Amino acid sequence: MLLILCLVAFRNLRADPVKWGTTTTVAPGGWGRMAALTNGNWLAVSTVFPAGTNSYLSILISSNSCRNWTAIARVQVAGRTLDNGELVVLPNGNILLTMRSLIGTTSFLLPVYVSADQGRTWTYLSNIDSSSGPGGLWEPDFLVLTSTLAVFYSNEAHPGFSQLISEKISTDGGTNWGAEIWAVAQNGGGSLRPGMPQIVRMANGNYILVFEVVNSGNADVSYKISSDATTWAGGLGTHIPCQHCGPFVTAVASGIVFLTSCENQVSFSRDFGATWQRLQTPPWNLGFNFSWPALYNTGSNELAAMVTWGGVNLRFGNLVPLAPWPNPFADNFNGGTDTNWTRYDGNFGFASGTYLLNDAGTNGKALTGSEFWADGTLETDLLISTPGNAGVVFRMTNPDYTGPDAGFDYYAGLDTGGFMVFGIQSNAWSQLATTPMTVAINTTYHLKIVMQGSLFKLYAVDMNTPKVTWTNSTFARGQIGVRAFQCNASFDNVSFTNAVPTRLNVAATNGQLTFTWPFAPVNVKLYSATNLQSPLLGSPVAISPSLVNTQWTLPVQQPAASRQYYWLQGR
């Protein structure tokens, strides 16, 4: 008889997936980028700006996990200004270096150099593209594909387009380059300027290309996804919240995708770019500045954030294993902190065990919970102390801080004008329903929202009879949070009871086991072992699950052992 035991195993309460720690200086110059070598060392390139002459590139090496660096070479071309250095390591161990190389506004090149000795000497190999102006070529980024090499770069040389992102492919390790591909361009041309491309392969095999779009907001960051990194949908992609100017993207083995930009914040996606949220704690407290940041997976459980600010610097962070949210989740703020909440705009504080949103004349929100929460019951105690409205958000994804309705979610709140309101925020406000009720200043009201699929019931004061019952299917999942609009408000006893907790199910048919569990972050993996011990020690099942009707499905062969244990565990 085969005994199968299914478990869900997590530890602790959810925190940011990165805990930032120590720092180091890579180089005294500007613009830094890195690459991991085949022998475990790391190579970095940085721009040096000597007084009275043209800039050049300095090459540095680290043999102790990026903690200390030594300059070993330079690449310098008489009469030309070099910057935007980018490194890549080929499968044969050779290292390629590209950059922008220019003479004023009359000559633009994207040269490629090769090193076969771990970066100590460099030989000119090829040129990716050239322009004699006035349009320039900028910010190249390499990507190693299965049997070819791709490069992406900003291109101002096409009439009718202020700038677009070009791509070329080399089939011989960078010696020759194929025809130009337009990866990102404004439909029909125009003044929008997609640029500063960065690309990475995600754990699901797809490629995500991120880029800024100058003249859209504050150089808003967007992305595109491709299955082969050479075929791209038209247009300017999909906006990523909270990020502006000079983006950089990386992906780690667990499946999480991390992104940064000159906002000097870090966002992450646990569903391959479909939704994004911001880390509460940034690696560098720089605010928006032209720091040209980058992110690197410098160890199995380590992420490094690079900035150019007083030199090229790194801050290292530990990747924190995913932990589940308790069910029910509750926060009474008695400790005077909002650990596990992320703030988006607004003014926050604590008083007498309540969470203060002091947003008279402005707006703000704070979010908590899983972006995969769907059905359940959300409750809070709410007190509004100045005229305006405040309440709760739920099923929120892609939150931003650029306005009161920045994000995609439902909102239910009270207004001191004398009503309860229910509506949709999708970077704009769309009201669904209101109902009259007395909302007095400095009076506490208990709110409860029950959500089941597309059915919503909103309660205030009377917990037996809903004030609003509504059907809407716009948003299926997302975080919960609190929000204040043009008023001061305080919240207490926030709770959410999840009606669809993560649970592992199994069915056995014809020598096969089919495991299913609710839609959850990509870094929740199925593990297996033949012995049950504490702590649980096992190996992840090598097969990747498929997403079928909002749940993960994973078929495996029935094990030969008479006793087998399976569980879900966050990486």
Side-chain angles (χ1 to χ4, degrees):
M1 181 181 71
L2 173 65
L3 176 64
I4 300 173
L5 178 63
C6 295
L7 306 166
V8 178
F10 294 103
R11 300 182 298 276
N12 306 318
L13 183 61
R14 177 265 188 190
D16 279 347
V18 185
K19 183 178 180 180
W20 300 109
T22 60
T23 67
T24 193
T25 295
V26 177
W31 180 275
R33 292 295 183 259
M34 304 196 310
L37 303 183
T38 54
N39 63 358
N41 292 341
W42 281 78
L43 210 62
V45 57
S46 175
T47 308
V48 179
F49 298 92
T53 187
N54 295 320
S55 59
Y56 63 89
L57 302 184
S58 175
I59 309 298
L60 306 99
I61 196 167
S62 173
S63 59
N64 61 349
S65 302
C66 303
R67 266 54 181 185
N68 300 100
W69 294 87
T70 302
I72 58 172
R74 66 169 61 178
V75 174
Q76 191 168 13
V77 180
R80 303 194 71 89
T81 297
L82 308 185
D83 199 0
N84 298 150
E86 187 74 31
L87 297 160
V88 71
V89 179
L90 299 181
N92 65 3
N94 284 350
I95 308 159
L96 299 188
L97 167 69
T98 187
M99 69 209 70
R100 77 182 195 202
S101 171
L102 58 91
I103 301 174
T105 60
T106 62
S107 175
F108 298 86
L109 302 175
L110 298 176
V112 178
Y113 290 77
V114 62
S115 174
D117 58 3
Q118 304 291 295
R120 287 171 174 80
T121 59
W122 296 88
T123 304
Y124 177 82
L125 181 65
S126 65
N127 186 64
I128 298 164
D129 203 349
S130 61
S131 170
S132 56
L137 306 170
W138 320 91
E139 303 129 8
D141 180 45
F142 283 128
L143 173 69
V144 175
L145 298 171
T146 302
S147 58
T148 60
L149 176 67
V151 67
F152 299 79
Y153 55 97
S154 305
N155 190 333
E156 296 177 321
H158 290 281
F161 294 82
S162 181
Q163 184 169 276
L164 55 82
I165 295 175
S166 299
E167 176 185 5
K168 288 189 175 183
I169 301 295
S170 173
T171 59
D172 55 10
T175 301
N176 295 282
W177 296 94
E180 181 184 352
I181 300 167
W182 286 15
V184 186
Q186 182 180 0
N187 288 330
S191 63
L192 298 181
R193 295 173 54 81
M196 301 204 75
Q198 290 286 321
I199 189 168
V200 72
R201 185 179 186 272
M202 299 185 290
N204 65 352
N206 287 337
Y207 297 86
I208 182 168
L209 173 67
V210 302
F211 47 92
E212 68 180 20
V213 183
V214 174
N215 297 329
S216 173
N218 186 24
D220 294 346
V221 172
S222 293
Y223 74 94
K224 287 186 175 184
I225 290 177
S226 171
S227 61
D228 60 7
T230 59
T231 306
W232 301 97
L236 295 172
T238 302
H239 173 68
I240 297 175
C242 298
Q243 300 291 349
H244 304 91
C245 182
F248 196 98
V249 66
T250 195
V252 299
S254 68
I256 300 178
V257 180
F258 290 96
L259 173 79
T260 189
S261 71
C262 289
E263 281 290 343
N264 292 296
Q265 302 281 348
V266 174
S267 298
F268 63 95
S269 175
R270 299 190 296 183
D271 50 15
F272 301 121
T275 64
W276 299 86
Q277 56 186 299
R278 180 174 56 82
L279 296 185
Q280 172 66 13
T281 305
W284 301 94
N285 292 310
L286 301 178
F288 180 88
N289 271 295
F290 297 119
S291 60
W292 313 122
L295 296 170
Y296 295 95
N297 194 183
T298 50
S300 59
N301 292 301
E302 185 177 83
L303 189 71
M306 172 180 278
V307 292
T308 301
W309 198 255
V312 179
N313 299 288
L314 287 170
R315 184 178 297 277
F316 301 97
N318 292 324
L319 294 173
V320 180
L322 177 71
W325 293 92
N327 193 19
F329 163 81
D331 199 337
N332 58 23
F333 307 104
N334 286 345
T337 65
D338 56 357
T339 303
N340 298 306
W341 292 74
T342 302
R343 303 174 181 181
Y344 293 85
D345 214 356
N347 306 297
F348 299 87
F350 304 90
S352 304
T354 64
Y355 196 23
L356 305 180
L357 275 67
N358 297 319
D359 292 327
T362 183
N363 55 268
K365 60 181 174 279
L367 302 181
T368 191
S370 171
E371 69 271 35
F372 294 90
W373 278 352
D375 293 347
T377 301
L378 170 61
E379 298 187 64
T380 190
D381 293 323
L382 167 64
L383 180 148
I384 303 175
S385 56
T386 65
N389 79 58
V392 291
V393 297
F394 41 99
R395 293 187 181 173
M396 173 170 261
T397 58
N398 290 312
D400 209 335
Y401 52 81
T402 53
D405 308 314
F408 298 85
D409 63 281
Y410 294 103
Y411 170 73
L414 303 182
D415 194 292
T416 57
F419 57 90
M420 183 181 208
V421 61
F422 178 47
I424 289 172
Q425 298 180 126
S426 56
N427 292 330
W429 172 249
S430 178
Q431 185 170 291
L432 296 177
T434 63
T435 187
M437 67 171 285
T438 300
V439 182
I441 297 291
N442 293 322
T443 300
T444 299
Y445 297 90
H446 189 74
L447 303 183
K448 180 172 75 173
I449 292 85
V450 179
M451 56 199 89
Q452 182 178 5
S454 60
L455 178 63
F456 299 88
K457 295 182 179 181
L458 281 58
Y459 301 79
V461 184
D462 180 0
M463 295 297 107
N464 296 313
T465 304
K467 289 193 174 295
V468 174
T469 300
W470 203 266
T471 299
N472 185 277
S473 58
T474 304
F475 304 119
R477 62 179 176 96
Q479 293 181 281
I480 64 168
V482 295
R483 173 184 182 264
F485 178 71
Q486 302 291 314
C487 71
N488 294 337
S490 62
F491 295 84
D492 200 3
N493 301 314
V494 177
S495 68
F496 179 77
T497 302
N498 187 2
V500 191
T502 302
R503 181 175 290 115
L504 181 61
N505 303 295
V506 62
T509 55
N510 300 323
Q512 180 175 278
L513 304 177
T514 300
F515 293 92
T516 59
W517 61 95
F519 193 21
V522 296
N523 53 321
V524 173
K525 307 294 184 183
L526 181 66
Y527 279 67
S528 177
T530 55
N531 294 303
L532 189 63
Q533 53 189 307
S534 182
L536 286 172
L537 295 175
S539 301
V541 175
I543 306 170
S544 297
S546 300
L547 191 61
V548 179
N549 296 327
T550 71
Q551 70 175 5
W552 292 109
T553 300
L554 180 57
V556 300
Q557 288 298 115
Q558 188 166 304
S562 61
R563 189 182 300 264
Q564 193 78 21
Y565 301 92
Y566 293 89
W567 67 93
L568 296 177
Q569 180 173 317
R571 293 181 65 186

